[in-house]
Amino acid sequence: MISFEGGYFTREMILQRLRWYLAYALSYRDIEELFEERGPYVDHSTFNRWVVHYAPLLEKVFRNKKRRVGKRWRMEEECMDARGRVKLPRPRLPFPTQFYLLRSLRAPALS
C-alpha cells in the first residue's frame, strides 16, 4: 500500500484532492480554490508535488487490482434496416437506411 507517513496533511485529504484532479478536467489552481474553504490551505505547487509523487503509485495499485478480461472473444456484426429486418450489407448511401448492430462475445459458446 502507499505510505502517506511523514507529512503534515492527512491521507484522506491528499487522496480526495488527487481524485478530483485525476477524474475531472481541473487545474491545480481550480483544486486550490475548491478546497480553500474545506480545510487547511494547500498551495497549488504543493498539490503539484503530490500529483507527481502519488499519481504513478496510485496507477500501479489500481492496475494490479483491475480484473483481467477473458482471453478469447470475437466480434459479431449484423446489418439491419430501420424495421429490424436483417439485410446483407450494401454500399453506403448519403442518408442512413441501414444500421449495424455490433456486439462482442467473450467465447463462442455464449452466443
Side-chain angles (χ1 to χ4, degrees):
M1 194 64 187
I2 301 172
S3 173
F4 292 91
E5 293 179 9
Y8 173 75
F9 299 102
T10 63
R11 173 182 183 265
E12 289 79 21
M13 193 172 92
I14 294 172
L15 285 176
Q16 185 179 24
R17 283 164 170 75
L18 284 173
R19 184 194 184 301
W20 282 30
Y21 175 74
L22 296 172
Y24 308 110
L26 298 172
S27 69
Y28 296 137
R29 292 189 190 262
D30 291 338
I31 297 288
E32 178 184 359
E33 289 176 12
L34 282 170
F35 285 98
E36 208 170 330
E37 56 200 39
R38 292 184 176 226
Y41 174 75
V42 178
D43 191 53
H44 65 276
S45 61
T46 303
F47 183 65
N48 179 16
R49 287 194 297 272
W50 289 348
V51 170
V52 168
H53 180 73
Y54 291 116
L57 300 175
L58 287 172
E59 182 183 6
K60 186 183 291 185
V61 169
F62 292 148
R63 288 202 184 270
N64 287 339
K65 291 189 176 194
K66 188 176 176 182
R67 267 191 333 146
R68 290 193 52 147
V69 185
K71 294 180 182 178
R72 295 180 298 167
W73 63 276
R74 64 184 174 89
M75 183 68 74
E76 185 177 280
E77 177 180 347
E78 290 180 0
C79 181
M80 305 178 110
D81 66 358
R83 295 182 182 148
R85 295 180 300 206
V86 177
K87 297 275 189 176
L88 295 175
R90 293 187 299 179
R92 293 268 179 184
L93 298 174
F95 51 91
T97 58
Q98 56 191 11
F99 304 95
Y100 285 92
L101 173 66
L102 300 172
R103 64 181 180 158
S104 62
L105 304 171
R106 284 190 295 163
L110 296 176
S111 59

